[in-house]
Amino acid sequence: MPAQRLDLRVFPDPKRLSQAVAAAFSATACEKASLGKRFSVALTGGRTPRLLYQELATDFRAQVPWTHTHFFWSDERYVPPNHPDSNQRLARESFLDHVPIPPENIHAPLTHLEYPEEAAVLYEKAMKEFFSTGEPGFDWVLLGLGEDGHIASLFPGSPTLDAGGRWVVFVDGSPKPPPQRLTMTLAGINRAACVHFLVTGTGKKDALRASLEGAPDPRRFPAHGVRPENGTVTWWTDASAAAGLSEAFAGTPS
Ligand code: 6PG
């Protein structure tokens, strides 16, 4: 990814990174609300967003216009919503259950249907209906980065990387447990206004370097396929994850 177009922000630690992301989140939400518009967000799964979610439930709770804010998920494990592996459970326990957001503003996928492919179709339908009257896609899509370079539940070499016009697909046999998931596709992600990657820890050093510095190869590094048609990509990283980046990509410490 050419360095000159890269928006890479490096923070000393995950806490300060999460505070900065929460501040940007709140500012965008307020801006949208001041225009009488919804603020639509696709939440990421995994452990990295936990600190951000806690920030939203505490220091930023009173600042975010929750009635204007709507949450979907960029991916979800195909497990019951109260399952320990559920991304929805993580978000509810760490912030959604602790902020005054109308329940109808939380758009979680169904993960109990006998046929998960049907759940993927229904979730895509819900997204398309949500965006049928306004923006083409999410204001914010939050994504993590796996140590193998996966994003959402789009894994290197997976056929889901060539999902055509689908916005949401079912993944069976995920290399990262649990095996069954629903995930947004690159087509769905690339309709966003802003994609925000949250990447922390030394374990992500190699994947971050390859995702930022490698020759474009979306099948090997799905992050290379994140190129919003009319949007931006911001990488929020801590010093540990960014330690492997070459000088040209090292970003400006924040
Ligand atoms: C998931 C996630 C996945 C995650 C990365 C990073 O449902 O597993 O969406 O893409 O973001 O694997 O996970 P950590 O934040 O736990 O390192």
Side-chain angles (χ1 to χ4, degrees):
M1 190 175 298
Q4 69 276 14
R5 288 207 300 274
L6 182 64
D7 183 354
L8 172 68
R9 305 177 191 188
V10 184
F11 294 84
D13 54 58
K15 171 78 172 169
R16 277 176 278 189
L17 179 153
S18 302
Q19 289 168 334
V21 178
F25 179 100
S26 175
T28 306
C30 290
E31 183 187 351
K32 297 287 288 191
S34 70
L35 298 169
K37 294 185 175 183
R38 302 175 304 189
F39 177 42
S40 58
V41 179
L43 296 172
T44 181
R47 293 183 309 273
T48 302
R50 195 189 300 266
L51 284 177
L52 166 62
Y53 295 167
Q54 288 166 2
E55 287 292 329
L56 293 176
T58 54
D59 293 1
F60 290 87
R61 183 180 190 281
Q63 296 180 39
V64 176
W66 297 105
T67 55
H68 286 75
T69 304
H70 289 258
F71 292 108
F72 288 75
W73 275 263
S74 50
D75 75 327
E76 177 58 290
R77 292 83 180 276
Y78 206 74
V79 296
N82 61 353
H83 190 282
D85 287 341
S86 167
N87 289 333
Q88 174 186 168
R89 174 175 165 174
L90 169 74
R92 287 186 187 278
E93 289 182 346
S94 46
F95 90 106
L96 291 174
D97 289 349
H98 309 287
V99 298
I101 186 167
E104 62 271 22
N105 288 23
I106 301 170
H107 310 265
L110 298 177
T111 57
H112 64 279
L113 302 184
E114 183 182 358
Y115 300 107
E117 294 88 343
E118 182 187 357
V121 169
L122 289 173
Y123 204 41
E124 175 172 310
K125 184 168 179 287
M127 284 185 188
K128 288 187 172 179
E129 282 172 3
F130 183 85
F131 293 113
S132 60
T133 57
E135 301 80 356
F138 287 99
D139 295 306
W140 273 37
V141 171
L142 287 169
L143 294 173
L145 183 69
E147 296 187 3
D148 62 356
H150 76 261
I151 62 174
S153 291
L154 300 172
F155 292 87
S158 165
T160 54
L161 292 168
D162 300 317
R166 292 290 304 277
W167 291 16
V168 179
V169 293
F170 168 56
V171 171
D172 199 359
S174 158
K176 175 181 179 183
Q180 294 194 328
R181 294 149 171 262
L182 301 180
T183 186
M184 284 184 73
T185 63
L186 289 171
I189 291 167
N190 284 329
R191 297 177 70 89
C194 304
V195 177
H196 294 274
F197 283 97
L198 309 181
V199 187
T200 62
T202 50
K204 305 295 176 73
K205 211 165 53 170
D206 294 342
L208 182 64
R209 184 178 60 249
S211 296
L212 296 186
E213 299 186 9
D217 180 4
R219 290 199 57 75
R220 174 70 190 88
F221 293 102
H224 292 174
V226 176
R227 294 183 175 283
E229 295 130 23
N230 296 295
T232 60
V233 178
T234 304
W235 290 81
W236 303 81
T237 69
D238 69 356
S240 301
L245 296 178
S246 60
E247 196 57 39
F249 287 81
T252 46
S254 301

